[in-house]
Amino acid sequence: MNYFKQLKRNNDDANEEDKKEDNKEEDDEENKEDKKEDKKEDEKKDDKEKRDRTVPPLITNLKRKRPHMTRERWMEMAQIRRWNVRITNISIENLYKESYDPFIEFVVGGDFKIIPKKIKKGQVKNVYTGTLGYSKKTEVIRNLEVKDSKLMETRIQCEYQGSYFDVQEQFLRIDVWDWEKWNLNEFLGRVEISLIELIQGDVDQEFVIMKYGEKKKIKLCKINFTISFQEIWDFILGFSDWSGCGIINDKGEDDPSPSLEISLATQGIFRKRIKTKVVEKEQNPQWPIIRGDIHFRGTINELENQQLSIILYDGGLLNSRKVGVKITDLFGILDSGSITTDLMQQNKRSGGHQCSIKGRINIIKSPKYRQTGEIVLLNSEGQYLCVSVMRVDNVVLPNDKGVVNTFIEVSWGGYMKKTKTAFRTYKPIFNDTFYFPINVPQGLFGNNEDERNKAIMKELVLYSNIHFNFWAIDEQLSNDSLGSAAFFVNELQNAKIQEKEFFDEKTQSSQVMKVRVWSGKKQLTSPFIESGTISNLFIDVWVLYENEKKLEYDELPKEISDNLPDDFENLSREWESTAKDMMEAFPEETQRDFLYMVKDEQDKDRFLPMFVSKLGYPNPSKLIKKSDDNIPVDYLTVETLAECCYYCSLIPFSGSANPIWSSPEFLVHMKKGENEDHAIILACLFMSVIKEVRDDNEKNSDDEINEENSEMTKESLQTVRTKVKGKKDEETSKTEESDMNNRVFVCVGSLKQRKTQHVWVMTINEDYSGVTYWEVTNNTSFALEKRVSNSENLMKFLNKEEVEGTALKVRKNSDEDETKKDPGNDEDYEAQDDDMSEGSMDDVDDPEKNAEKTKKHGDERLKKEDLPTDLRFKYKSKNINPKDDIGKKSGGTFLENKRAGEQKDPKNYASLVQEPRLLPGANEVDVPYRTIDIIFNNKNIYMNLQHFDPSRILFDLYDNTLWNPFIAKSTKIISAFYPPPILLPPLHLPLAKKLQSNILKEIKIGISALRSGKNLPTSWKNQKDQCVELMEQHLIFLERASRGEISDDVIVAKKRNWGLKMRQFMPTYYRLSALPAHFNFPEPDRISQIFIEKAKEFFCMQHKNMKWAVAVRIFPYVSKITSVRILVTAFYPVPGGQ
């Protein structure tokens, strides 16, 4: 029984094991099937990933909402325009961890989009809208290794058509692909750039593209390219304020009758030519108004590459002869608005003569958007001077700085180009190449090889050296000079021959030329840095020209010599001798500067008149000046003398005393300077001023002007001009009335407070009867009326007309008063001067009465021709001993004792040192100057032979007994040693608006933080509040008042009226306190810090229910000079008010 039970159990166990094995087999089969399904799913995923790699992401950018605007504005923005697009110099650098074979696809514009749209739950359908843009692919770069960079040969050029709305909404799409030989290409990454960023950005672009499909951001590559995206525009070129300097006739004489013919040489034979009128017998002609204009269609870059032809003629309309031709580019014409170039004249006597031509080119309207940077277009038919700036081996700073950012400016032929900025390095590497066009005139059928070589050599003779300036950008956004160097083109004669490759725009292909290339280093020198330290600049220089080997560089100048007057050494010795005698004439006044040579920024001695050259202020166009009331930016013009003085006062002062005088070009680039640097650039701006003061209709309606004085001035001016000039044609008379060239002088003296050298500017009034001192350090002026004894003679003298010899006419006192005065009493001496100012003008104008009076008083004044040169200082008291009898008899000053001794011997009286005197009716003016030693302009230097008091002397420059000229007869303008500075345009409107918002934000944050630190609440008014708008209007008024546009009495009334208007929008029991501030640097953090630090007490006022308001206004000027005005107002209730 037990046996059967055991057998049954065994059979049951065996069945269970068989079932388990069967189940196990079934499970294995199921697992195999699951694995197969998983493998299929993985394969599907891999196929999807592979497919995703070959398909770029969807373009789902939606349109931006367009702002509200007027209908006229909308029509302007929606108008379809033509744009020229050019993409060159495409390079790619591999930033990925492995190599690949990239090529790039550029898509310009287009509004094509793929928008996913839901149809049902879980179902999405792609909707395709818009049109595709212009697409172009580059060549494939095979096996681009890690951290390797390659330059592509592909150049993209197309025309894009779209409105201003389109460029704001569309993009430039850049796709990077990996090329596969047997499979589909793999998509690697993409970047999209808004077209509006390109058309108002830099031409050189750089982007880093991330790897597509990665969870983390991994850098794929860096792409660099140059893009020109500019609107095709119809430009209208007008011409005004053209002038010539140093022109001679075809016989080499100084009485030419010049005229100009202006045209665009690149427009062919049938181009339009603008001709000026003939100015008879004038070596320095002026053409203020030139009728006619030139039309040009193209982009800004194409306009700047146009060649302007300037032909100089001599003679009338019937016998005019061509005496000179100049071809120059219009590079930078939108920034500078002017042309300044040297021209080589051909004449029978000397064969060649160098003169200069200047003028303004007025572009009436320009495109709204504009790129920054330069795009170089080379042509195999042209010729170029090429400069490659590689590196600087050592940066030497004038002061210790932790961080230094440097760049280099290269100047040649009137062009100035700048390298990229090297950040935070003492061994900067630039690797920038610049191409300067060598423009030569061509005949109707071109030039043969010999004529072309001669024309190139003539151009290289005019501009024989390349100048390098090394700059460091400091914290205040101005520049520090780190040195300069010069390369003379004649050094190319023995240079080694190398191959240079360039892209030819004519053939649209790469060309190779074999030319001489100079490679080496130039030492950088600077007077601002100690002589023991050395920095070297490494450069390459060559001339890109197919027949460059035939150019003889040995014939070029090896150094630059200044255009000094004839017999300069003898004139210098005579000047130094006279200065020594003047120093001995006033031994008690030790600080006298009778200088005639000073050191410039290159540490070279320069003749003072070489610092002064006419400089025009490029005013903004009418479109820029008409800004919206809602925009807190105002572009104001600079036209009058007071406005020029205000502009120069905005340029920061360095505050470091040194004997270096900077040229206006150097000051513009450095953006800071000393007192003498500001005075020189102010004098240069004054010379181009057309109207000294604004007309009545140009001022504000509430400006009050003294009409009687203005009418008297105009009548007296017209009387003087009628006597001297007579009747002339309309153009010449306009030129004479507005010309300031001959009436601007730079003064050198000292201040009353400290006996140090000081420089200011002086202008002779329009009626030639008085002068005005202009102090640029604090933007003030001092009018000294009746400081010229004979205005007609002074006008003749300054206009190069002969002036008859005149005796010095000084007002004298009566015999009774003279006998009562004691020369040893200082009080009586001052009273004597006061009495002289109350006399009659008839005594001065009558020579016979003057002669009788001077004989009675023993003070006979000799005429110029009666004064021998060897006895000029014969009776000066340089050998007087203080122990002599004269010193014992009277206890007066040295000058009084000297006068007493001279009166004993009236026959031999020939002193040049005069007592301080005033003409009848002249008022005393308190000026901040102690002495005036010399004055100079761009023609001559004059030494003050009178008393040193600047407010009590005469300015009869024609009288050699009062003013000793360095050059006896100075009719020629002494050319400046520096090229005309290029005044860059003011801060652009988008940047100015951003600056205003940043300053507003920083000031609010700073005031709120200051008050919260003292547990004081701060509540701000809305910026659209009526009070804030009145505050902004008041800031405009303050800026115009500082510019001298509004009289003093109107300023007081205007401030009172502004307070009354503000109270109209305030509760009756509220008061207000306002604090204005003015800054001349565009740095929000620094402005906020200084403003809050200086006015802590004002910002920490404690009142209940206070309200604060702040207004900021930006006034951009040229060369990035910016005036920032701020007004903070606190509104608080009157204590006890209801």
Side-chain angles (χ1 to χ4, degrees):
M1 188 69 181
N2 295 332
Y3 170 77
F4 288 106
K5 287 183 179 180
Q6 184 67 32
L7 181 63
K8 185 178 180 181
R9 288 177 180 175
N10 293 336
N11 291 332
D12 292 339
D13 293 339
N15 292 333
E16 289 179 1
E17 290 179 357
D18 292 339
K19 289 180 179 179
K20 288 181 179 180
E21 289 180 359
D22 293 340
N23 293 333
K24 186 177 181 180
E25 290 178 357
E26 291 178 359
D27 291 340
D28 292 341
E29 290 179 358
E30 290 179 359
N31 291 334
K32 288 180 180 179
E33 291 178 358
D34 292 340
K35 288 182 179 179
K36 288 181 179 179
E37 291 178 358
D38 293 341
K39 187 175 182 180
K40 288 181 180 179
E41 290 180 0
D42 292 339
E43 290 178 354
K44 289 181 180 179
K45 289 181 180 179
D46 294 340
D47 293 339
K48 185 178 180 180
E49 289 180 359
K50 289 182 180 179
R51 187 169 61 254
D52 290 342
R53 290 177 184 175
T54 59
V55 177
L58 299 180
I59 307 173
T60 58
N61 294 321
L62 299 177
K63 283 189 175 182
R64 300 176 182 176
K65 187 176 181 181
R66 296 177 178 177
H68 295 284
M69 58 186 68
T70 61
R71 178 178 176 81
E72 292 77 9
R73 179 68 171 167
W74 183 278
M75 295 298 292
E76 180 186 1
M77 295 290 291
Q79 181 182 354
I80 301 299
R81 303 170 186 271
R82 298 170 58 198
W83 307 77
N84 185 12
V85 183
R86 184 194 299 263
I87 304 176
T88 58
N89 301 328
I90 306 171
S91 65
I92 182 171
E93 181 182 356
N94 185 5
L95 303 179
Y96 197 51
K97 57 186 176 181
E98 59 185 25
S99 62
Y100 50 91
D101 303 329
F103 69 91
I104 306 174
E105 180 183 12
F106 289 85
V107 180
V108 181
D111 56 352
F112 177 77
K113 297 176 181 65
I114 303 175
I115 303 175
K117 184 177 181 181
K118 290 184 179 180
I119 302 176
K120 296 180 180 179
K121 291 184 178 180
Q123 295 184 0
V124 179
K125 181 181 179 181
N126 293 332
V127 179
Y128 304 92
T129 62
T131 57
L132 293 172
Y134 177 83
S135 178
K136 180 69 179 289
K137 298 182 179 67
T138 66
E139 74 273 17
V140 179
I141 303 296
R142 298 292 185 89
N143 193 21
L144 183 63
E145 298 292 340
V146 180
K147 295 184 179 180
D148 192 12
S149 179
K150 294 291 183 180
L151 181 65
M152 297 181 172
E153 297 181 356
T154 304
R155 300 170 66 90
I156 301 174
Q157 186 171 1
C158 65
E159 182 177 306
Y160 169 81
Q161 295 184 356
S163 65
Y164 288 153
F165 284 135
D166 294 334
V167 297
Q168 292 176 359
E169 298 168 354
Q170 298 181 12
F171 297 84
L172 170 67
R173 193 172 77 247
I174 303 175
D175 293 341
V176 181
W177 297 79
D178 183 18
W179 178 79
E180 299 289 345
K181 185 174 182 180
W182 304 110
N183 297 322
L184 294 177
N185 298 325
E186 181 182 354
F187 178 78
L188 298 180
R190 166 182 293 171
V191 64
E192 290 183 341
I193 311 103
S194 175
L195 295 183
I196 191 66
E197 296 179 6
L198 294 175
I199 64 177
Q200 59 185 4
D202 195 82
V203 295
D204 296 323
Q205 297 288 335
E206 178 180 312
F207 299 98
V208 176
I209 300 179
M210 299 298 173
K211 181 72 168 64
Y212 172 70
E214 301 287 346
K215 294 181 179 180
K216 296 182 179 180
K217 289 186 177 181
I218 300 177
K219 294 181 179 179
L220 173 68
C221 62
K222 181 169 67 175
I223 295 178
N224 294 274
F225 58 90
T226 301
I227 180 170
S228 170
F229 202 120
Q230 298 178 352
E231 183 179 357
I232 300 175
W233 192 264
D234 290 327
F235 293 95
I236 302 177
L237 281 64
F239 305 89
S240 64
D241 298 330
W242 281 68
S243 62
C245 178
I247 300 176
I248 60 176
N249 60 13
D250 58 344
K251 298 180 181 179
E253 299 173 350
D254 296 340
D255 57 346
S257 298
S259 62
L260 295 178
E261 179 184 286
I262 307 171
S263 62
L264 288 180
T266 47
Q267 289 185 342
I269 301 175
F270 303 102
R271 60 182 181 269
K272 186 176 181 179
R273 306 169 191 268
I274 305 298
K275 295 185 178 181
T276 66
K277 295 183 178 180
V278 179
V279 181
E280 298 290 343
K281 296 183 179 181
E282 179 59 49
Q283 193 176 5
N284 304 314
Q286 293 188 0
W287 298 277
I289 300 175
I290 301 178
R291 302 187 182 279
D293 47 41
I294 296 177
H295 294 253
F296 173 79
R297 172 173 291 181
T299 63
I300 294 177
N301 184 56
E302 292 172 346
L303 174 67
E304 293 185 340
N305 281 275
Q306 295 297 307
Q307 293 182 346
L308 186 72
S309 172
I310 304 173
I311 302 178
L312 177 63
Y313 290 93
D314 178 33
L317 297 177
L318 300 178
N319 59 346
S320 62
R321 299 167 298 280
K322 184 190 298 185
V323 294
V325 180
K326 180 65 178 182
I327 303 294
T328 182
D329 282 355
L330 295 179
F331 177 77
I333 191 62
L334 291 179
D335 293 334
S336 62
S338 61
I339 289 290
T340 301
T341 183
D342 294 329
L343 185 146
M344 186 65 72
Q345 284 187 247
Q346 300 296 327
N347 59 81
K348 299 177 181 179
R349 180 177 298 178
S350 59
H353 172 75
Q354 182 177 344
C355 64
S356 63
I357 302 294
K358 300 179 182 180
R360 291 185 60 84
I361 298 180
N362 307 311
I363 298 178
I364 300 175
K365 192 176 181 180
S366 59
K368 179 178 181 180
Y369 299 108
R370 179 184 173 192
Q371 289 182 291
T372 59
E374 178 188 5
I375 300 175
V376 180
L377 304 177
L378 302 180
N379 194 326
S380 58
E381 293 183 351
Q383 47 280 326
Y384 306 89
L385 179 64
C386 311
V387 180
S388 179
V389 180
M390 293 177 287
R391 63 186 178 91
V392 175
D393 60 355
N394 182 29
V395 175
V396 181
L397 300 175
N399 46 27
D400 295 334
K401 289 185 178 181
V403 179
V404 58
N405 305 323
T406 58
F407 65 93
I408 292 178
E409 288 180 345
V410 186
S411 303
W412 181 85
Y415 303 97
M416 190 278 292
K417 301 186 179 184
K418 186 175 71 172
T419 66
K420 60 177 177 289
T421 303
F423 295 95
R424 300 182 179 181
T425 177
Y426 283 85
K427 294 185 178 181
I429 299 176
F430 303 102
N431 292 331
D432 286 337
T433 302
F434 304 104
Y435 299 89
F436 298 93
I438 306 175
N439 299 306
V440 296
Q442 294 185 357
L444 295 177
F445 304 99
N447 295 340
N448 57 36
E449 183 177 329
D450 293 337
E451 292 177 350
R452 188 177 179 184
N453 293 340
K454 290 180 181 179
I456 294 174
M457 291 302 298
K458 288 181 180 179
E459 194 73 10
L460 294 178
V461 168
L462 284 176
Y463 309 104
S464 59
N465 74 318
I466 308 169
H467 193 72
F468 302 89
N469 279 323
F470 190 30
W471 299 95
I473 305 175
D474 64 7
E475 298 176 354
Q476 282 74 35
L477 300 181
S478 56
N479 301 325
D480 289 330
S481 175
L482 303 183
S484 61
F487 175 85
F488 286 87
V489 184
N490 69 317
E491 300 180 47
L492 287 172
Q493 182 65 31
N494 300 321
K496 295 181 180 180
I497 296 178
Q498 299 181 16
E499 291 185 351
K500 289 295 181 181
E501 184 180 1
F502 68 99
F503 186 84
D504 185 11
E505 292 292 336
K506 182 180 180 181
T507 61
Q508 290 294 308
S509 61
S510 296
Q511 302 289 337
V512 176
M513 288 186 182
K514 291 184 177 181
V515 295
R516 284 171 284 185
V517 181
W518 187 94
S519 299
K521 62 182 180 180
K522 289 290 182 181
Q523 183 177 348
L524 296 168
T525 59
S526 173
F528 304 101
I529 299 177
E530 297 179 0
S531 58
T533 55
I534 298 176
S535 297
N536 295 313
L537 171 66
F538 292 81
I539 58 173
D540 288 351
V541 182
W542 68 96
V543 174
L544 193 63
Y545 171 47
E546 55 185 355
N547 295 321
E548 187 270 339
K549 298 178 183 178
K550 297 183 179 180
L551 298 178
E552 297 295 335
Y553 298 115
D554 283 342
E555 301 176 0
L556 299 177
K558 298 182 180 180
E559 62 180 2
I560 299 178
S561 58
D562 293 336
N563 185 20
L564 296 174
D566 299 335
D567 200 14
F568 183 75
E569 294 182 0
N570 292 333
L571 294 175
S572 303
R573 285 194 292 269
E574 293 178 2
W575 181 272
E576 292 173 355
S577 176
T578 307
K580 182 180 179 182
D581 293 333
M582 288 299 301
M583 293 289 291
E584 294 172 350
F586 295 94
E588 73 278 6
E589 188 61 35
T590 57
Q591 180 59 41
R592 302 300 298 274
D593 291 312
F594 300 105
L595 45 85
Y596 63 96
M597 299 283 285
V598 293
K599 295 276 188 184
D600 70 341
E601 63 270 12
Q602 302 176 14
D603 203 19
K604 295 182 179 179
D605 291 325
R606 302 291 187 182
F607 191 42
L608 280 180
M610 298 177 65
F611 280 88
V612 184
S613 178
K614 189 175 182 179
L615 175 63
Y617 184 94
N619 282 307
S621 63
K622 296 180 180 179
L623 297 177
I624 297 178
K625 289 187 290 184
K626 292 181 180 178
S627 59
D628 192 358
D629 294 337
N630 297 326
I631 299 177
V633 181
D634 295 275
Y635 293 89
L636 304 179
T637 60
V638 175
E639 298 177 348
T640 64
L641 298 177
E643 293 167 3
C644 289
C645 186
Y646 176 74
Y647 166 74
C648 293
S649 67
L650 293 176
I651 303 176
F653 289 81
S654 58
S656 57
N658 56 69
I660 305 301
W661 287 38
S662 300
S663 63
E665 181 205 19
F666 191 80
L667 178 64
V668 166
H669 291 89
M670 200 164 182
K671 297 179 183 178
K672 62 181 179 182
E674 289 300 313
N675 151 256
E676 59 270 10
D677 308 330
H678 288 71
I680 288 174
I681 193 172
L682 178 60
C684 296
L685 290 173
F686 275 179
M687 294 174 65
S688 62
V689 169
I690 298 178
K691 49 186 177 183
E692 300 184 32
V693 295
R694 288 189 177 273
D695 299 333
D696 297 352
N697 54 3
E698 293 179 330
K699 294 190 176 183
N700 296 333
S701 59
D702 52 357
D703 291 355
E704 297 180 1
I705 300 176
N706 192 341
E707 298 179 357
E708 297 181 359
N709 294 339
S710 61
E711 290 178 0
M712 290 176 61
T713 304
K714 292 179 181 179
E715 291 177 0
S716 60
L717 173 64
Q718 185 65 27
T719 304
V720 174
R721 293 194 182 280
T722 305
K723 292 180 180 179
V724 178
K725 294 295 181 182
K727 294 183 179 180
K728 291 191 176 182
D729 58 350
E730 180 182 0
E731 182 179 355
T732 307
S733 63
K734 286 183 179 179
T735 304
E736 292 173 353
E737 290 181 1
S738 61
D739 187 21
M740 289 287 297
N741 280 333
N742 301 325
R743 297 192 281 122
V744 179
F745 293 86
V746 180
C747 306
V748 180
S750 61
L751 294 172
K752 289 181 179 179
Q753 297 179 353
R754 55 178 183 268
K755 293 185 178 182
T756 56
Q757 184 188 94
H758 192 76
V759 183
W760 67 95
V761 180
M762 180 191 76
T763 57
I764 298 176
N765 297 348
E766 201 171 5
D767 58 356
Y768 293 86
S769 63
V771 299
T772 302
Y773 291 154
W774 299 89
E775 181 54 48
V776 70
T777 56
N778 55 6
N779 185 32
T780 55
S781 61
F782 306 92
L784 284 73
E785 301 293 340
K786 297 185 178 180
R787 293 307 194 274
V788 178
S789 62
N790 194 322
S791 58
E792 294 184 16
N793 285 344
L794 182 59
M795 180 183 291
K796 290 180 180 179
F797 177 77
L798 295 179
N799 288 281
K800 301 180 297 184
E801 298 182 12
E802 294 184 0
V803 180
E804 298 180 359
T806 56
L808 179 62
K809 303 170 184 178
V810 182
R811 182 179 176 187
K812 303 303 296 181
N813 298 316
S814 62
D815 297 344
E816 182 179 358
D817 293 338
E818 186 72 13
T819 56
K820 292 182 180 180
K821 300 303 177 183
D822 183 6
N825 191 344
D826 294 338
E827 296 179 0
D828 294 341
Y829 183 76
E830 294 178 359
Q832 177 183 354
D833 295 333
D834 295 337
D835 292 341
M836 284 190 300
S837 62
E838 299 174 0
S840 173
M841 193 67 182
D842 298 334
D843 295 344
V844 178
D845 294 337
D846 191 349
E848 297 180 358
K849 293 183 180 180
N850 263 315
E852 294 177 1
K853 289 190 176 184
T854 52
K855 289 181 181 179
K856 289 180 181 179
H857 299 304
D859 192 10
E860 183 180 4
R861 307 293 180 180
L862 300 182
K863 295 182 179 181
K864 176 182 176 182
E865 56 270 16
D866 298 333
L867 184 63
T869 56
D870 56 340
L871 297 177
R872 194 165 187 175
F873 288 89
K874 180 176 180 180
Y875 296 98
K876 294 191 70 62
S877 54
K878 58 184 179 180
N879 295 325
I880 291 181
N881 192 336
K883 298 181 180 180
D884 290 345
D885 296 337
I886 298 178
K888 293 179 181 179
K889 290 182 180 178
S890 65
T893 62
F894 173 82
L895 186 61
E896 293 170 351
N897 298 336
K898 179 175 175 297
R899 280 282 176 257
E902 289 173 347
Q903 288 177 1
K904 292 182 179 181
D905 191 3
K907 295 182 179 179
N908 294 329
Y909 180 80
S911 174
L912 296 177
V913 181
Q914 310 295 334
E915 298 179 20
R917 300 282 178 168
L918 288 177
L919 292 175
N923 297 325
E924 292 279 359
V925 180
D926 185 16
V927 297
Y929 316 115
R930 176 180 177 83
T931 64
I932 181 170
D933 304 320
I934 64 167
I935 63 173
F936 66 91
N937 58 0
N938 58 347
K939 296 179 182 179
N940 208 343
I941 312 176
Y942 300 90
M943 181 189 297
N944 178 24
L945 301 180
Q946 309 168 76
H947 194 268
F948 52 78
D949 189 353
S951 63
R952 308 186 69 183
I953 58 175
L954 300 179
F955 289 92
D956 297 340
L957 301 181
Y958 54 85
D959 193 339
N960 289 357
T961 62
L962 300 179
W963 294 93
N964 177 41
F966 188 92
I967 308 170
K969 293 183 179 181
S970 61
T971 58
K972 296 182 180 180
I973 295 176
I974 299 175
S975 57
F977 65 91
Y978 55 88
I982 299 175
L983 299 179
L984 299 177
L987 197 65
H988 294 296
L989 183 59
L991 297 178
K993 292 168 62 177
K994 184 178 180 180
L995 173 64
Q996 189 270 348
S997 62
N998 291 339
I999 294 175
L1000 189 66
K1001 179 180 177 182
E1002 290 293 333
I1003 291 214
K1004 284 187 174 182
I1005 292 175
I1007 295 176
S1008 300
L1010 177 65
R1011 292 181 60 84
S1012 63
K1014 297 183 179 296
N1015 296 325
L1016 297 175
T1018 308
S1019 177
W1020 294 97
K1021 279 184 174 289
N1022 193 301
Q1023 291 302 120
K1024 295 183 179 180
D1025 189 85
Q1026 191 69 28
C1027 291
V1028 178
E1029 294 181 0
L1030 289 174
M1031 291 167 61
E1032 292 184 352
Q1033 295 176 7
H1034 191 64
L1035 291 178
I1036 300 176
F1037 160 75
L1038 293 178
E1039 180 73 10
R1040 293 189 177 275
S1042 300
R1043 288 159 43 93
E1045 299 183 26
I1046 307 174
S1047 59
D1048 295 339
D1049 52 348
V1050 176
I1051 291 176
V1052 176
K1054 190 79 173 180
K1055 290 182 178 180
R1056 189 184 304 108
N1057 293 335
W1058 176 78
L1060 296 176
K1061 290 181 181 179
M1062 289 286 289
R1063 289 185 176 87
Q1064 293 178 2
F1065 300 96
M1066 295 166 47
T1068 55
Y1069 59 91
Y1070 261 70
R1071 290 180 181 177
L1072 67 88
S1073 296
L1075 178 65
H1078 182 221
F1079 299 92
N1080 62 342
F1081 48 86
E1083 301 173 54
D1085 297 341
R1086 186 178 167 206
I1087 288 175
S1088 175
Q1089 181 181 359
I1090 295 176
F1091 187 32
I1092 295 175
E1093 184 68 25
K1094 296 291 184 181
K1096 280 186 177 180
E1097 296 182 0
F1098 177 79
F1099 296 133
C1100 294
M1101 288 192 301
Q1102 298 184 20
H1103 295 280
K1104 292 183 179 181
N1105 301 325
M1106 285 190 67
K1107 279 283 188 179
W1108 292 85
V1110 58
V1112 179
R1113 203 80 183 178
I1114 307 297
F1115 302 92
Y1117 293 92
V1118 298
S1119 294
K1120 308 302 181 184
I1121 302 299
T1122 306
S1123 174
V1124 180
R1125 291 197 175 269
I1126 304 171
L1127 183 60
V1128 178
T1129 305
F1131 304 89
Y1132 53 91
V1134 178
Q1138 296 179 356

